[in-house]
Amino acid sequence: MSVDRIPVMIPWLGEEEARAASEAVLSGWVAQGPRVAAFERAFAERVGAEHAVAVSSCTTALHLSLVVLGLGPGDEVVVPSLSFIATANAVRYVGAEPVFADVDPATGNLTTATVDAVRTPRTRAVLAVHQGGVPADVHALRAACADWDLPLVEDAACAIGSTVGGKPVGHGALLAAWSFHPRKLVTTGEGGMVTTDDAEWAARLRRLREHGMNASAAERHASSKPVLESYLEVGFNYRMTDVQAAIGLVQLGKLDAMIARRRELAARYDAALGDVPGLTPVRDPAHGQSNFQSYWVLLDEDFPVGRDGLLASLAGTGVSARRGIMAAHLEPAYAGHPRAPLPVTERISRDSLILPLFHTMTEAQLDRVVTALREQARG
């Protein structure tokens, strides 16, 4: 008899999102317009930022953040290798060079010490990631970057709803980039956001996402007089659609329920896996709380089966786990890229896996995952 497969992630989408998307379609305005503006306002309020600028993906959000900082050829940006490859790629998009720093073994995030170990006179910025929703210690990083006279950009792709010191991730950020990919808590299918407290940067970000125009399509359509737009600089086509934003507004309204459920499931995993030898689950750091966008476990070297073997065994029981966070410096795209030793990064990337976790996951499904893991731990 076949066993129903447990996916690693299912977005929490339903009739409300379908109606919102349909209403956007029926309105006749499907491109960037009033729903995008409403989503931006709601998102900025949620993360405690003055401005939010919707774009086509988190990758384009990172790209534009580095553009407004004026980074280019000859500049270096400190980034974690332990991140989806887009983090490092965005640095290359502006012609700068990513410099890979190691991470904290408990959180998978940059620390002041790991950044300081690789920064050079050519370093012009630091790009920190809130990995898998686990918040980086941005208070310490911001203080250190201020001492070094370096801007700190936050890759918050996974971190909507996570907190640092009781405040939302993104609160007080110079520039933060967000993702609405289906693997994230809040999804619009594809899409991203940049948040900042700087009004001039926000205005420029809005121009850059729309070919560098000084008047958006929405502004031109709203005017009773002809508007002859100008193109102030070379820009990009990085816009979000109103259909996406309509879905995002519904998703944002469900965020608190998503976080509560994910933290409840994570606590159940903690209780069930806490005594399994050779297996270390991800935890909240002392400085904040995770939204548990991902729940990963790290295997000790003496665990009875290796990570890849464990993934195969879980798949055989109908459990769709995934390898842990990738290490960009080990990918062919960065072959030969100069770097310092990254032992923690390589250890986490080699020996971690992401377990199923999604809003509609049942206790019975979670128990199946735990049972399968415990069987493998016995060897």
Side-chain angles (χ1 to χ4, degrees), residues 51-73:
H51 307 278
V53 180
V55 291
S56 55
S57 70
C58 187
T59 305
T60 57
L62 288 169
H63 181 200
L64 293 187
S65 295
L66 301 181
V67 170
V68 298
L69 287 176
L71 300 178

Side-chain angles (χ1 to χ4, degrees), residues 179-191:
S179 173
F180 305 126
H181 182 272
R183 280 287 306 276
K184 310 305 187 282
L185 273 71
V186 171
T187 183
T188 59
E190 290 285 357

Side-chain angles (χ1 to χ4, degrees), residues 13-29:
L13 295 165
E15 289 296 326
E16 194 175 356
E17 287 87 353
R19 285 194 300 270
S22 176
E23 288 169 4
V25 170
L26 294 174
S27 76
W29 195 304

